[in-house]
């Protein structure tokens, strides 16, 4: 086992959407000093296959200077269809009927393409792969200087950082060190996959969703040859344990059991899945109250993305909110006198929106699937609420929040005159 010591101004744990976006945001905002991104895998990961980037995400990508690289590759979607398989009724909804901002619209995107678009803007050597964080300690200087975070990796490397940002996902080591409550299951799970049609799928470019008791499924073309799909189910522990991480078993469970009542066109998409893209996992979230009141920061240590506010995918804001975090955090650090003040400003700005998105996503998913284990009269009431009230009156309000603009990254005049200044100076 090798052992070495590394000094870094800013260390970001995790090279997912939040980590790469934060590294790029810091660079764009003119925050001086070296930025090091630690990624435990040997290469960029594409877990989740694809995602829908709503306007909130595109505003952030525009601030990061990479929106143009992706917009030209993916078609915009302004509406989506929801079909109730129990009564055959189909409703068409707009993502945000009162909003209009040119090219800033909802677009599906390949997750790996997004990661690559962010990563290629970073200087060589910014990302350190095969670097798993195993412990964190805080070192206090005797002269009153800010605390230093001392990180130990599994290969024995010790890294000392002035600023530490955990972008290491739902099971974040940094969030656990800060003392944030552990994420909990919402009682639902999601199967995700990417279908590939080498000769072209010929489908209409629209987002389609299907609902039935305890299930919500969706499919959306992201290119001429690829279709992203998912199926959210009330957790079936025995079946999920049996299928494990075996793509063939997962797909068989979807086509033969869980999704047996889905339309033939949806099942055809499932059967065309690239096995490497298939996953089945519980949907976790951190309670909005914990986000509003929990220890999201300690000095110059904080978290972003899923490490901060894991949420269910029912508003498709996991990736978008991570991009927002990156912009707000970098801007706050660029304008603050000390790293700790910048982190505090970031947490203050993000707590409310993050808690709202987590709560909105949970409500949206629970209602659309007819409630978790809601049977009989209670289940009937939930479905009536969904079909007559939620989609007509509540969903449009939730959709409007997807047009949130987190602002730009322009450094303050004093900072722009000294882009090389370090926070520790």
């Amino acid at each position: 086992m090798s052992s070495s010591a590394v000094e870094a101004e800013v260390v970001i744990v995790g090279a997912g959407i939040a980590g790469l976006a934060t590294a790029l945001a810091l660079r764009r905002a003119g925050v001086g000093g070296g930025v090091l991104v630690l990624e435990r895998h040997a290469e960029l990961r594409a877990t989740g296959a694809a995602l829908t980037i709503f306007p909130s995400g595109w505003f952030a990508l525009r601030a990061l200077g990479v929106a143009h690289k992706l917009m030209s590759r993916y078609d915009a979607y302004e509406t989506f269809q929801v079909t109730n398989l129990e009564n055959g009724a189909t409703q068409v909804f707009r993502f945000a009927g009162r909003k209009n901002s040119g090219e800033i619209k909802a677009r599906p995107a390949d997750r790996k393409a997004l990661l690559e678009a962010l990563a290629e803007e970073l200087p060589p050597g910014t990302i350190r792969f095969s670097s798993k964080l195993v412990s964190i300690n805080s070192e206090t200087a005797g002269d009153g200087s800010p605390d230093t975070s001392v990180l130990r990796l599994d290969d024995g490397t010790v890294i000392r950082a002035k600023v530490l940002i955990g972008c290491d996902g739902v099971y974040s080591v940094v969030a656990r060190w800060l003392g944030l409550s552990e994420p909990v299951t919402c009682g639902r799970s999601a199967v995700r996959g990417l279908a590939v049609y080498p000769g072209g799928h010929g489908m209409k470019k629209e987002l389609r969703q299907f609902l039935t008791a305890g299930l919500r499924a969706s499919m959306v073309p992201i290119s001429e040859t690829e279709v992203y799909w998912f199926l959210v189910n009330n957790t079936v522990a025995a079946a999920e344990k049996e299928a494990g991480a075996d793509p063939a078993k997962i797909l068989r469970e979807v086509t033969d059991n869980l999704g047996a009542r889905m339309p033939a066109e949806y099942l055809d998409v499932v059967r065309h899945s690239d096995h490497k893209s298939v996953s089945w996992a519980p949907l976790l979230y951190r309670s909005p109250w914990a986000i509003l009141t929990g220890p999201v920061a300690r000095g110059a240590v904080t978290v972003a993305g899923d490490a901060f506010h894991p949420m269910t995918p029912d508003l498709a804001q996991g990736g978008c909110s991570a991009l927002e975090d990156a912009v707000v955090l970098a801007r706050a650090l660029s304008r603050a006198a000390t790293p700790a003040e910048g982190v505090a400003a970031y947490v203050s700005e993000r707590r409310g929106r993050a808690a709202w998105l987590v709560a909105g996503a949970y409500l949206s998913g629970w209602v659309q699937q007819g409630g978790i284990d809601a049977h009989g009269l209670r289940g009937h009431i939930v479905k009536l609420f969904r079909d007559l009230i939620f989609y007509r009156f509540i969903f449009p309000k939730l959709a409007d929040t997807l047009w949130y603009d987190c602002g730009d990254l322009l450094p303050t005049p004093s900072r722009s005159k000294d882009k090389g200044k370090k926070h520790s100076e």
Side-chain angles (χ1 to χ4, degrees):
M1 178 180 291
S2 63
S3 180
S4 60
V6 176
E7 299 281 337
E9 184 75 9
V10 180
V11 170
I12 298 169
V13 184
I17 294 174
L20 295 178
T22 300
L24 179 56
L26 289 169
R27 179 172 169 79
R28 296 281 196 244
V31 175
V35 176
L36 178 64
V37 180
L38 305 178
E39 171 53 49
R40 64 190 181 94
H41 291 85
E43 60 184 3
L44 290 179
R45 294 165 293 134
T47 303
L51 72 163
T52 299
I53 304 178
F54 281 85
S56 57
W58 289 113
F59 285 129
L61 288 170
R62 188 170 63 182
L64 292 169
V66 298
H68 66 284
K69 296 166 63 174
L70 295 163
M71 277 188 175
S72 60
R73 297 177 57 176
Y74 304 104
D75 293 322
Y77 294 84
E78 296 187 22
T79 62
F80 73 103
Q81 290 189 22
V82 178
T83 299
N84 185 331
L85 298 179
E86 296 177 21
N87 59 23
T90 294
Q91 301 182 68
V92 179
F93 303 95
R94 295 185 64 83
F95 286 119
R98 297 189 300 275
K99 306 288 185 178
N100 184 15
S101 187
E103 292 187 340
I104 304 296
K105 299 175 181 177
R107 299 169 191 264
D110 182 277
R111 185 176 293 268
K112 188 174 183 181
L114 171 58
L115 295 178
E116 290 174 345
L118 295 168
E120 65 190 18
E121 298 293 319
L122 299 174
T126 299
I127 307 171
R128 175 175 173 151
F129 292 104
S130 301
S131 299
K132 183 180 179 180
L133 175 65
V134 295
S135 70
I136 306 170
N137 288 294
S138 183
E139 185 178 272
T140 302
D143 59 1
S145 300
D147 291 355
T148 296
S149 293
V150 182
L151 317 177
R152 185 173 295 278
L153 308 186
D154 62 347
D155 65 357
T157 300
V158 175
I159 303 175
R160 295 163 57 85
K162 297 297 183 183
V163 180
L164 173 61
I165 305 168
C167 299
D168 44 341
V170 174
Y171 302 107
S172 169
V173 175
V174 181
R176 190 170 293 122
W177 183 79
L178 286 170
L180 276 168
S181 64
E182 292 293 321
V184 296
T185 179
C186 70
R188 296 179 294 131
S189 301
V191 187
R192 299 178 174 95
L194 187 68
V196 180
Y197 294 77
H201 50 68
M203 298 180 191
K204 183 178 179 181
K205 294 178 179 178
E206 63 181 2
L207 191 156
R208 299 187 62 187
Q209 183 168 286
F210 308 97
L211 303 175
T212 188
L215 294 174
R216 183 169 67 89
S218 184
M219 62 183 192
V220 55
I222 63 172
S223 70
E224 298 296 335
T225 59
E226 296 177 325
V227 181
Y228 174 59
W229 64 272
F230 67 78
L231 185 145
V232 180
N233 62 284
N234 291 346
T235 299
V236 186
E240 292 177 24
K241 183 178 180 180
E242 167 63 23
D246 186 330
K249 289 183 178 180
I250 294 172
L251 293 176
R252 189 160 53 247
E253 179 66 25
V254 172
T255 57
D256 296 355
N257 297 313
L258 284 178
R261 295 182 58 191
M262 291 294 154
E265 57 190 319
Y266 180 85
L267 295 178
D268 182 71
V269 168
V270 174
R271 293 188 181 100
H272 275 82
S273 295
D274 175 359
H275 281 206
K276 293 183 294 184
S277 73
V278 176
S279 64
W280 193 6
L283 297 179
L284 306 178
Y285 72 103
R286 178 168 285 125
S287 78
W289 181 248
I291 293 170
L292 286 172
T293 64
V296 181
R298 186 189 303 180
V301 181
T302 191
V303 284
D306 284 345
F308 180 3
H309 42 66
M311 64 186 73
T312 63
D314 305 288
L315 287 180
Q317 287 298 287
C320 294
S321 59
L323 294 169
E324 294 174 21
D325 287 346
V327 173
V328 174
L329 176 54
R331 184 173 61 230
L333 286 171
S334 74
R335 296 177 179 178
T338 67
E341 290 178 11
V343 165
Y346 154 73
V347 171
S348 177
E349 183 172 345
R350 292 300 294 166
R351 277 192 196 269
R353 176 161 172 80
W356 163 250
L357 288 175
V358 171
Y362 183 93
L363 172 66
S364 180
W366 189 87
V367 170
Q368 290 187 82
Q369 281 186 231
I372 306 300
D373 295 325
H375 304 293
L377 179 60
R378 181 166 172 261
H380 183 66
I381 291 173
V382 172
K383 291 174 184 178
L384 283 177
F385 174 77
R386 176 191 67 195
D387 297 336
L388 301 179
I389 298 175
F390 177 79
Y391 280 128
R392 293 184 184 183
F393 304 106
I394 298 176
F395 182 80
K397 297 292 185 183
L398 292 174
D400 281 351
T401 70
L402 310 185
W403 287 77
Y404 174 81
D405 187 347
C406 60
D408 60 38
L409 273 169
L410 292 177
T412 58
S414 60
R415 175 69 63 186
S416 62
K417 291 178 182 178
D418 186 10
K419 293 183 68 175
K421 180 179 179 181
K422 296 183 180 180
H423 273 300
S424 55
E425 294 178 344

